Amino acid sequence: MSTPDLPADRCALVVDLAAIRANWRAVRQSFTGAGVGAVVKQDAYGLGIAEVVPLLAALGCRDFWVADLTEAEDVRRSEPSGRIFVLHGLCGGTPHDFRMLGAIPVLLDMSEVEAMARAATDAPVTCAIHLDTGLNRLGIGLEDVRRLVAAPDRLKRLQIAAYVTHLAHFSDPGARANAWQWRRFSAWTRRLPPAPLSFCASSGVFGPRERHADLARVGSALYGVETTPSRPQPIVAAATLTAPILRVHDVPAGREVGYSGAYRTPSARRLAQLGIGYGDGVPYRFHSDAYVLIAGHRAPVVSTSAMSLMSVDVTGLPEQTLRPGQRAMLFGPGLPVDQIAAAAGVAPNVVHVRAGRSAPRFYLPCPDDAGAGTAATARPLHAPQMV
Ligand SMILES: *Cc1c(COP(=O)(O)O)cnc(C)c1O
């Protein structure tokens, strides 16, 4: 990928919009249900709602999933049509607020279901219902489902756009818990009024078709973040984090580097100081070996990161790779964000979202490719089924 002009004095997160398009297409191709929706919470995982939403809308994405009403407003500014599902439920808003915004609350407990039903005095109101099949976070459980099944009139005035559930063991496709959640979801929704089923996030769309259901909610895969290490996905990195080399210097053996002696040179080392730190979203401490790439060469991270600085060991790297103006890559194509995240003991999205929200962002445009079929093809909804 060609790099836009980056500020020589600052780190940069470069977002490759063509990579997001390629990932969107890979997801569309794999998913057999009616529609793929894009999860764009946390400013599209740090890559920017204002840039990502119009791109996906142009590619045929009609459903956008956000955490709260404020994010729903951000999406609406970028995408005048399309549905916006709000995962945190009513968020203190009224059904009227949602209607005005064209947003759909994913109701997260019985009190929200009842509040929504009460609000539907004149006409039916549109909502989605979160079912808690095993994550024990959001959604109504078996007892509530039984109550609704026993008194179906309570749901009569609700236009249910989707039943939603979320996997606890998404990163382990073979986990028995996933099969149990699918079984509960299928059994419960079979007894409730019919509505599209939303079961899959990124990990699911490349998984078994029998569990695809109707509406996918995909975040990580669009942004090139792997969620199932044991079953690699056909996606490409969409974000590249780089930082300028500020200084290269030789440090004798036995010297402390960084605050509180977090690192001591075991021998004479050559170090480079990078213009990036925890203030730009990189982890503070690494529990195991982390490295950056400088002109394709590995340079191990040493010491803790500072607010805007990070030290790496460049001993033995070719002199010409260490000239001023040279940049180090922390993650991007060829260096998955998983590496630095695993070394810090966090999930890849922790690093991805923080860097995206903290570091200055730049965009690689997405050239048109005529005739590539950007519109999503509509397919029939599955009937809710029992397994
Ligand atoms: C964040 C989120 C998603 C997206 O998950 P990815 O693995 O990033 O695709 C889907 N559903 C719910 C309920 C979520 O909170």
Side-chain angles (χ1 to χ4, degrees):
M1 100 184 164
S2 64
T3 319
D5 285 340
L6 300 178
D9 63 333
R10 303 195 74 186
C11 67
L13 186 101
V14 176
V15 181
D16 182 356
L17 295 174
I20 297 177
R21 176 174 62 186
N23 292 335
W24 164 261
R25 288 178 178 158
V27 169
R28 282 284 326 158
Q29 191 156 21
S30 177
F31 187 67
T32 54
V36 175
V39 182
V40 294
K41 62 193 178 192
Q42 290 294 339
D43 205 18
Y45 288 43
L47 303 192
I49 279 179
E51 290 79 10
V52 169
V53 166
L55 169 77
L56 292 171
L59 291 169
C61 182
R62 291 288 163 262
D63 290 345
F64 295 90
W65 298 75
V66 296
D68 54 39
L69 262 176
T70 305
E71 291 180 346
E73 286 164 8
D74 293 342
V75 171
R76 190 49 85 216
R77 268 192 289 279
S78 298
E79 164 55 3
S81 60
R83 298 190 294 184
I84 304 171
F85 288 92
V86 179
L87 287 163
H88 290 183
L90 288 171
C91 299
T94 64
H96 178 73
D97 298 332
F98 281 84
R99 202 176 315 122
M100 295 310 288
L101 204 54
I104 300 170
V106 184
L107 306 177
L108 48 79
D109 65 11
M110 263 318 254
S111 69
E112 290 203 347
V113 172
E114 277 154 10
M116 204 70 183
R118 274 197 307 275
T121 44
D122 312 328
V125 293
T126 305
C127 64
I129 300 181
H130 205 134
L131 303 180
D132 183 4
T133 56
L135 189 54
N136 287 301
R137 253 176 14 185
L138 302 177
I140 62 173
L142 178 60
E143 287 309 310
D144 293 327
V145 170
R146 284 201 178 120
R147 252 173 252 140
L148 289 174
V149 169
D153 274 5
R154 292 160 94 176
L155 293 178
K156 219 169 60 190
R157 308 188 73 79
L158 299 185
Q159 194 92 49
I160 302 171
Y163 294 113
V164 175
T165 202
H166 199 41
L167 287 179
H169 293 263
F170 66 87
S171 60
D172 177 9
R176 286 166 60 111
N178 295 342
W180 276 109
Q181 283 194 257
W182 170 252
R183 215 171 283 188
R184 285 188 200 110
F185 191 52
S186 306
W188 298 1
T189 51
R190 201 170 57 110
R191 298 169 65 198
L192 291 166
L197 304 187
S198 182
F199 186 74
C200 289
S202 293
S203 58
V205 292
F206 297 109
R209 290 175 168 212
E210 0 16 301
R211 289 189 206 157
H212 278 186
D214 303 310
L215 304 173
R217 313 178 303 276
V218 179
S220 305
L222 296 179
Y223 314 118
V225 178
E226 285 273 3
T227 47
T228 49
S230 63
R231 189 181 57 207
Q233 303 167 342
I235 55 172
V236 291
T240 302
L241 183 64
T242 62
I245 296 176
L246 304 178
R247 180 195 182 200
V248 176
H249 56 137
D250 293 306
V251 183
R255 297 289 166 84
E256 291 184 346
V257 179
Y259 301 127
S260 309
Y263 173 74
R264 182 186 287 267
T265 48
S267 55
R269 310 307 294 170
R270 171 162 268 210
L271 301 184
Q273 304 304 323
L274 307 180
I276 190 168
Y278 62 77
D280 304 298
V282 302
Y284 172 64
R285 192 187 297 283
F286 296 93
H287 305 285
S288 60
D289 293 346
Y291 60 88
V292 302
L293 289 182
I294 298 175
H297 300 276
R298 285 185 185 199
V301 177
V302 300
S303 196
T304 48
S305 68
M307 196 177 288
S308 306
L309 270 182
M310 201 169 159
S311 308
V312 297
D313 187 337
V314 293
T315 311
L317 258 63
E319 203 61 45
Q320 72 272 16
T321 65
L322 301 175
R323 297 215 177 97
Q326 186 68 253
R327 297 181 79 87
M329 184 204 282
L330 285 88
F331 61 80
L335 180 58
V337 65
D338 315 38
Q339 186 271 142
I340 200 170
V346 297
N349 271 327
V350 175
V351 178
H352 195 269
V353 170
R354 285 187 187 159
R357 301 215 66 157
S358 311
R361 283 196 305 240
F362 299 85
Y363 290 86
L364 290 177
C366 184
D368 281 344
D369 55 353
T374 51
T377 43
R379 291 184 219 162
L381 295 184
H382 291 281
Q385 49 183 261
M386 182 71 180
V387 285

